[in-house]
């Protein structure tokens, strides 16, 4: 009887898998074909337009990025009468990031480049839901602002005061540099905006 | 002990009946509670560049005006020290979801179809490139 109840509790709670992919996996195996000193046209031919690019005081930078977020949710039926209507859900998420960065001088000559692949803990969450539901419980917004971030540049006009005051160092304008997805605002050039972004 | 021995067949039959009833009740409910969903959206400019081979834009000849005429306004204008970059971007997001009682799954995928044009200070094309990611028109 207890075993049956345990099975019913597990089945009644359920689990979920949520996957988000931004872009296509990068051809990192072709990175070795590009050498320092080559022209930016070589990079364009090998990898196409960058996901992000920025003008720099002495040249420009290309950034290519692929992000895959995997969120796992595990449900548990609560004991007692409340368990008929509510279930507890624990979620955790990982973000796999592939990125390549190319920095060019004002003649378009490659000064430096580097590929990187890493998996980051994208967070965890806990919720109480009615019977069952499928929705993200983790905050993975930092990883989801991939190439489409440029579409929202105009939204900068509505930024909070601290962000506006830090405009000259802002990394979202395409004129001051780039940063990897998932970089916290509490460090680096966004430090002065810490706490202003919600 | 003998009493237990006599009751076993009846208990087993009762449990089998009970299990059958629960199964008959559970399966239709499970089927009613399952579902699936598909969704999608396209953002950004219309990817007109997919109708035009990249080699039709000739470095040293094609001007900004010609690119604007054929492709329309770019998603981004990026100012460099010695020229301007036109960056065209189309984003397509598709998602599927499968909702069962025991196991649920959602999959979401975003693709970025891109074209980039580098111009010199005189507005003449220097470089052009299309992305390998293609969104069908």
């Amino acid at each position: 009887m207890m075993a049956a109840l345990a099975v019913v509790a597990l089945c009644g709670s359920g689990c979920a898998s949520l996957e988000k992919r931004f872009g296509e996996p990068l051809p990192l195996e072709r990175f070795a074909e590009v050498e320092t000193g080559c022209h930016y046209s070589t990079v364009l031919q090998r990898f196409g337009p960058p996901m992000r690019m920025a003008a720099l005081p002495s040249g420009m930078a290309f950034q290519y990025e692929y992000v895959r977020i995997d969120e796992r949710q595990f449900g548990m039926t609560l004991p007692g009468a409340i368990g008929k209507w509510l279930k507890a859900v624990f979620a955790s998420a990982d973000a796999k990031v592939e990125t390549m960065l190319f920095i060019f001088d004002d003649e378009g000559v490659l000064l430096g480049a580097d590929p990187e692949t890493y998996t980051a803990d994208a967070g965890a969450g806990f919720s109480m839901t009615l019977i069952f539901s499928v929705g993200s419980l983790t905050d993975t917004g930092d990883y989801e602002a991939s190439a489409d971030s440029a579409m929202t540049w105009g939204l900068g006009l509505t930024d909070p005061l601290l962000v506006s005051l830090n405009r000259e160092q802002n990394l979202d304008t395409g004129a001051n540099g780039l940063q990897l997805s998932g970089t916290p605002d509490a460090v680096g050039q966004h430090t002065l905006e810490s706490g202003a972004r919600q | 002990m003998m009493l237990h021995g006599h009751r076993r067949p009846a208990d087993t039959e009762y449990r089998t009946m009970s299990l059958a009833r629960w199964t008959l009740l559970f399966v239709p409910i499970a089927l009613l509670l399952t579902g699936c969903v598909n969704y999608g959206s396209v953002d950004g400019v219309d990817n007109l560049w997919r109708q035009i081979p990249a080699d039709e834009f000739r470095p040293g000849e094609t001007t900004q005006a010609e690119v604007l005429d054929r492709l329309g306004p770019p998603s981004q204008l990026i100012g460099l020290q010695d020229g301007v970059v036109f960056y065209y971007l189309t984003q397509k997001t598709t998602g599927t979801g499968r909702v069962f009682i025991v196991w649920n799954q959602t999959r979401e995928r975003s693709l970025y179809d891109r074209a980039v044009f580098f111009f010199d200070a005189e507005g003449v094309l220097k470089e052009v490139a299309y992305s390998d990611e293609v969104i069908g028109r």
Side-chain angles (χ1 to χ4, degrees):
Chain A
M1 189 61 183
M2 291 301 291
L5 283 175
V7 170
V8 169
L10 283 174
C11 292
S13 52
C15 57
S17 166
L18 291 77
E19 176 190 293
K20 294 179 182 177
R21 287 187 288 170
F22 300 92
E24 291 281 5
L26 300 181
L28 297 173
E29 71 282 358
R30 279 158 44 193
F31 181 81
E33 299 172 9
V34 178
E35 296 181 351
T36 302
C38 72
H39 193 250
Y40 74 86
S41 59
T42 305
V43 176
L44 287 176
Q45 289 168 6
R46 294 285 191 282
F47 304 111
M51 294 288 276
R52 298 172 184 151
M53 66 174 294
L56 301 176
S58 59
M60 62 181 174
F62 290 177
Q63 185 182 35
Y64 297 83
E65 197 171 68
Y66 164 71
V67 177
R68 173 177 168 163
I69 298 171
D70 288 301
E71 180 174 333
R72 299 161 299 279
Q73 297 184 357
F74 306 97
M76 183 179 297
T77 301
L78 297 174
I82 193 171
K84 293 178 181 176
W85 305 105
L86 292 175
K87 75 166 185 174
V89 181
F90 173 77
S92 65
D94 292 325
K96 180 187 177 187
V97 180
E98 294 179 0
T99 186
M100 295 188 295
L101 178 68
F102 299 88
I103 301 172
F104 305 93
D105 66 11
D106 55 0
E107 300 292 327
V109 175
L110 183 63
L111 296 175
D114 189 51
E116 194 70 42
T117 300
Y118 59 92
T119 301
D121 182 354
F126 179 80
S127 82
M128 305 284 281
T129 65
L130 275 173
I131 310 300
F132 66 86
S133 65
V134 184
S136 179
L137 299 177
T138 57
D139 182 8
T140 54
D142 286 344
Y143 292 95
E144 297 176 19
S146 290
D148 64 334
S149 60
M151 295 178 182
T152 60
W153 280 354
L155 286 177
L157 298 172
T158 63
D159 278 341
L161 181 59
L162 287 176
V163 177
S164 299
L165 291 174
N166 197 37
R167 178 78 59 211
E168 290 301 311
Q169 287 77 40
N170 194 295
L171 297 173
D172 300 329
T173 63
N176 298 311
L178 299 164
Q179 74 175 8
L180 293 176
S181 296
T183 303
D185 288 339
V187 297
Q189 294 189 347
H190 286 305
T191 303
L192 295 176
E193 307 164 13
S194 190
R197 292 171 182 263
Q198 298 297 323
Chain B
M1 293 299 291
M2 289 300 291
L3 284 176
H4 287 294
H6 286 297
R7 282 180 184 171
R8 258 180 209 146
D11 282 351
T12 303
E13 186 179 347
Y14 173 77
R15 284 175 186 166
T16 304
M17 288 291 293
S18 179
L19 184 62
R21 285 179 190 161
W22 277 107
T23 302
L24 286 174
L25 182 65
F26 180 78
V27 169
I29 290 175
L31 289 174
L32 285 173
L33 291 177
T34 60
C36 59
V37 61
N38 280 287
Y39 57 92
S41 66
V42 178
D43 297 311
V45 298
D46 199 2
N47 56 345
L48 297 172
W49 58 92
R50 291 301 173 191
Q51 297 175 330
I52 306 169
D55 56 14
E56 285 194 20
F57 297 104
R58 301 178 187 282
E61 295 180 18
T62 303
T63 64
Q64 288 181 1
E66 290 169 352
V67 173
L68 286 171
D69 183 52
R70 301 189 73 173
L71 301 182
S75 306
Q76 298 175 25
L77 273 171
I78 301 169
L80 301 178
Q81 290 178 331
D82 60 344
V84 172
V85 177
F86 287 3
Y87 191 105
Y88 291 88
L89 172 65
T90 303
Q91 173 185 335
K92 182 177 184 181
T93 300
T94 56
T96 60
R98 298 176 182 86
V99 180
F100 304 102
I101 294 178
V102 179
W103 176 73
N104 310 295
Q105 181 190 59
T106 66
R107 295 282 181 268
E108 189 174 295
R109 183 184 188 193
S110 295
L111 287 177
Y112 305 102
D113 193 347
R114 313 179 298 279
V116 65
F117 300 80
F118 288 76
F119 297 96
D120 62 19
E122 282 70 45
V124 178
L125 185 66
K126 289 165 63 179
E127 298 291 341
V128 57
Y130 292 178
S131 64
D132 289 338
E133 290 176 53
V134 178
I135 296 174
R137 290 177 46 77

